[in-house]
Structure formats: structure tokens, C-alpha cells
Amino acid sequence: MTRSEPLRIGVLASRRGSNLQAIIDAIESGKLDCRLAVVVSDRADAQALERAKKHGAEAVFLDPKGYGTREAFDQAVLGVLADHRIELVCLAGYMRVLSPTFVRALPGQIMNIHPALLPAFPGLHAQRQALKHGVKISGATVHFVDEGVDTGPIICQAAVPVREDDTEETLSARILEQEHQLYPRAIRLYAEGRLSVVGRRVFVEEG
Ligand code: GRF
């Protein structure tokens, strides 16, 4: 599928933003034909906001304390995304669970990256969970977002072997390297119209 304009993406991020940076780098090096129009954060001190500005994207902080309910906050985020005519939302270290209202507003248009091989170890501290469980292989997953926590249809995954001397930090660092490859790749497949979802399965059309 050829588009007349690059896909307009918005990223939601709460902290460091290294996955956001990987997306920015892919765009700036011409590997990803997308327009990062806006980055929204629920934390004023998110490094992600600085990364967005440096790229020339709009950086918006919305303070959850200013909204009475999760739905009201999510409506505000949706408003910002609509103002920027966002076609795909990428969660990248966004520390809030989206309300059903949010998810239903953008069906099939929200992705997330998770530092484990889902459905293993959803939720917080996935790398710590993997070490504690004693798995020999963990990894990273990019998936579409549904109303559950890390439960949506899986787009792509990368495996990372667990070493005997791994700590949460060393395992996280090796998984993160894979995340930085995986997320831009998943976004590119989406932008090229090559993903289709049938039930829980995501099919990738050969390029
Ligand atoms: C990543 O490990 C991502 O998988 C998880 O949160 C972390 C965010 O890191 N959802 P960063 O902010 O992108 O550096």
C-alpha cells in the first residue's frame, strides 16, 4: 500500500524514552517513513519530552492530578492526539493503564512494547519476574493494545537468552537492545499496511 502522506504517529511515554528515541532515530535515518507529530507524557520530568522537542515534535505534558477520573484524563489525551490527527498511538514506557474509553476510541490503532515474551510476565517488572521464575529465554514483544494489561494480539517478538549471572539490570539492558530494533520494525509494518488481525493472530504480509 502506498500512502500519499507519511503515517502520523503519537507516542505516550512516562519516563526515559529510549524506545521513543529508537523510533526517532529510525525516522531520522530514513528507515521509518512516519511523522512523529506529538509525544504526550503524564510526567513533567519525562526525558521523553526532551527527546520529542529535539526531534521537532510537539511535547505535551498533561498532569493527571488536574483531572478527576482516569476517563477524564484519557479524554484529554485523546483530544491532543485528535488535534494532531494521529493515526497510530505507540505506548513506550507509559506507566498508566488505558481506560476502555481510550482503547475503544482507537480500535486497532494502539501498540505497546513489553520487555518479556508475552503472555509470560505481563505487568510491571517483567524482567524481574522472568529471573525469579527461572526461565532460560525471555525477550520483548510488540502487541496491539486491548482492554487488558499486555493481553492484546502479538505483532512481533524477539527472544533473549537468560544468562546464569544475569541481574535484573543486565537482562533488562539486553532486552532493551532488542526492543529498540523491534518497535520501529512493527511500526513500519503497520505504516506499510502489512498487518492484519484475525482473532488473536496478527498476520504479516510479505514485503
Ligand atoms: C521498556 O522496557 C518497555 O518495554 C517498557 O517500559 C520500558 C520503557 O523504557 N514498557 P524507555 O522509557 O522506552 O526507555
Side-chain angles (χ1 to χ4, degrees):
M1 187 182 75
T2 36
R3 307 174 52 92
S4 51
E5 297 282 331
L7 182 82
R8 296 178 67 82
I9 64 174
V11 170
L12 308 189
S14 300
R15 297 184 299 190
R16 179 178 58 184
S18 72
N19 276 289
L20 167 66
Q21 191 62 52
I23 295 166
I24 289 173
D25 292 346
I27 292 172
E28 291 184 352
S29 66
K31 288 186 196 136
L32 181 59
D33 186 19
C34 285
R35 166 92 193 274
L36 174 67
V38 67
V39 173
V40 181
S41 183
D42 59 330
R43 294 192 47 162
D45 60 354
Q47 206 187 332
L49 292 172
E50 297 312 312
R51 296 182 193 270
K53 284 183 211 155
K54 205 164 162 222
H55 175 64
E58 183 103 1
V60 178
F61 161 59
L62 290 178
D63 189 350
K65 290 197 201 87
Y67 301 86
T69 62
R70 187 158 69 114
E71 275 70 22
F73 179 77
D74 278 2
Q75 285 295 352
V77 178
L78 282 169
V80 172
L81 296 171
D83 288 347
H84 289 84
R85 294 180 287 113
I86 295 304
E87 298 165 280
L88 174 69
V89 180
C90 300
L91 309 185
Y94 188 57
M95 299 310 289
R96 298 174 65 85
V97 176
L98 300 181
S99 62
T101 314
F102 193 119
V103 176
R104 284 175 206 156
L106 294 163
Q109 292 171 271
I110 311 170
M111 282 184 191
N112 181 41
I113 187 153
H114 183 74
L117 291 178
L118 291 171
F121 314 127
L124 292 174
H125 308 300
Q127 304 93 332
R128 192 185 302 171
Q129 293 184 55
L131 279 176
K132 202 166 165 207
H133 196 89
V135 294
K136 303 297 185 192
I137 297 177
S138 193
T141 303
V142 179
H143 63 93
F144 283 113
V145 173
D146 64 10
E147 291 178 30
V149 175
D150 302 324
T151 51
I154 291 169
I155 300 166
C156 50
Q157 297 186 297
V160 175
V162 178
R163 294 184 189 152
E164 304 228 324
D165 61 352
D166 261 332
T167 61
E168 190 179 348
E169 289 68 36
T170 59
L171 180 60
S172 300
R174 290 205 315 290
I175 291 175
L176 198 60
E177 276 176 36
Q178 294 301 316
E179 292 184 40
H180 294 164
Q181 306 293 318
L182 209 58
Y183 216 173
R185 203 181 307 150
I187 297 167
R188 183 163 55 80
L189 292 173
Y190 185 95
E192 292 173 356
R194 287 162 58 191
L195 300 179
S196 52
V197 186
V198 181
R200 282 210 49 86
R201 295 185 70 187
V202 179
F203 293 91
V204 181
E205 197 181 294
E206 292 302 321

